[in-house]
Structures are given as C-alpha cells and as structure tokens.
C-alpha cells in the first residue's frame, strides 16, 4: 500500500479474527516497532507476543487479577477470560523505565507509544487489522507480575492484531485549522 495513503487513512479494527499472523508478518511488525525514536538510545521498549493457547492463560491472569472476581456472575467471568481471545495475536508493549539524567520517564513512555503506533501502521500496510487497548489490566500489579515484568515496568498497551472482521469506520476528514495554528512571532 502506498505509504502516505496508509498514514492518512489508517483506522483501528475492533473486531479481529484468524488465521494467525505469520512469522514474516510478525517480523515486519516488530522491526517497525524497533524503529521508534528513542532519546539516548536507551531502548526502553519490550514486546511480549501472546498467541494460541497462551491467550487463554492470559485470560486466567486477567480474571484472577480482577478485584473480587469470585463474586462476578459466570457470564462476567467468561467475558474477562475471553478478552485476550479477541485477536489471534496480542503484543504487550512494555516500557522498562530506566533512571537517566537526560531522559525522563515520560520520554521513555512516549518512545514505546511510538513503537505501538509503528506496529499499528505496519499492520495496516500488511492488510491486517489492529487496535491499541489498555484498560484496568494494563496497570494491575498482579498482571504485571504474572507477565514476568518488574514492578516499575509500564504496560503501554495491549495491541490486538488479526484479520479485519468488521466494517471499518470511515472517519470524516478533520479540518486542519481546528488543530493547527501557524504560529507567528509578535511584531515588535
Ligand atoms: C493509549 C491508548 C489506550 C487505549 N485504550 C483503549 C481501550 O482500552 N479500549 C478501547 O476500546 N480503545 C482504546 N483506545 C482507542 C483505540 O485504540 C482507537 O484509537 C480508537 O478506537 C479510535 O480508533 P482509530 O484509531 O481508528 O481512530 C486506546 C487508545 C490509546 C492511544
């Protein structure tokens, strides 16, 4: 797909389905992520790939981490268990925050966020669908620990990737003037 059209037309795909994402496709997604800008080359971003039956294990982690989960109805419990099954591939984007005199925490988070955006764009260019989700589970310490992460690591997103299984929205073209100001110096 032509690069500029891809960048100006990408949308998220909330409903995704199989088949699975091929190793070649995964390679492109991850290499795109690693081209995110990164102040001082700290390399704070890590990506966990979760596929197949491992998604069910993640569903169990989500359920156990849900406060008071035993008191939820069977239907609500199943909904939580099914969350990771919404796509054949989940990429958990993590920022492993490091102390650095010139690179504050926010810049490291932004770098991982840029990595996620590169994944979304690469997925779109491959003809795949993707959506960036967070929710309560992203900040839940039990989830962070169960994924093998350190307490200071930040889950920047659960990126769901698969084949598009819904009608995509066609957002209206936004007027640039609502968001962009051509700043000019004050005349003295
Ligand atoms: C940091 C971040 C977290 C998000 N978390 C969620 C989420 O948990 N659930 C959700 O439905 N959408 C979430 N979104 C929004 C979707 O990823 C998506 O941007 C939105 O549905 C708009 O679609 P679009 O990308 O086609 O404009 C999140 C977006 C960002 C940037």
């Amino acid at each position: 797909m032509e690069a500029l059209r891809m960048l100006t037309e990408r949308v998220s795909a909330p409903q995704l389905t199989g088949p699975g994402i091929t190793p070649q496709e995964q390679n492109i997604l991850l290499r795109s992520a690693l081209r995110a800008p990164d102040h001082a080359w700290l390399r704070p971003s890590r990506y966990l790939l979760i596929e197949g039956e491992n998604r069910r294990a993640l569903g169990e982690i989500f359920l156990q981490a849900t406060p008071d989960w035993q008191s939820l109805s069977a239907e609500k419990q199943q909904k939580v268990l099914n969350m990771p099954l919404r796509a054949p591939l989940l990429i958990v984007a993590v920022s492993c925050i490091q102390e650095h005199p010139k690179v504050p925490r926010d810049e490291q988070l932004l770098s991982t966020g840029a990595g996620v955006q590169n994944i979304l764009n690469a997925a779109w260019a491959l003809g795949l669908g993707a959506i960036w989700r967070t929710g309560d589970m992203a900040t839940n310490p039990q989830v962070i620990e169960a994924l093998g992460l350190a307490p200071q690591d930040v889950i920047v997103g659960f990126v769901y990737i698969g084949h598009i299984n819904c009608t995509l929205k066609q957002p209206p073209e936004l007027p640039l003037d609502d968001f962009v100001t051509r700043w000019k110096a004050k005349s003295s």
Side-chain angles (χ1 to χ4, degrees), residues 118-131:
N118 279 3
I119 293 174
L120 297 179
N121 282 330
W124 186 249
L126 286 165
L128 299 169
I131 184 163

Side-chain angles (χ1 to χ4, degrees), residues 10-12 131-135 156 169:
R10 183 210 62 84
V11 288
S12 298
I131 184 163
W132 181 350
R133 296 183 188 270
T134 48
V156 168
K169 64 178 179 300

Side-chain angles (χ1 to χ4, degrees), residues 153-188:
D153 293 343
V154 179
I155 295 177
V156 168
F158 297 103
V159 190
Y160 288 77
I161 300 161
H163 296 265
I164 298 165
N165 196 26
C166 59
T167 307
L168 294 175
K169 64 178 179 300
Q170 290 188 305
E173 193 77 27
L174 294 171
L176 285 182
D177 288 350
D178 287 0
F179 303 92
V180 181
T181 305
R182 212 166 284 281
W183 185 85
K184 293 193 179 81
K186 282 183 189 143
S187 50
S188 51

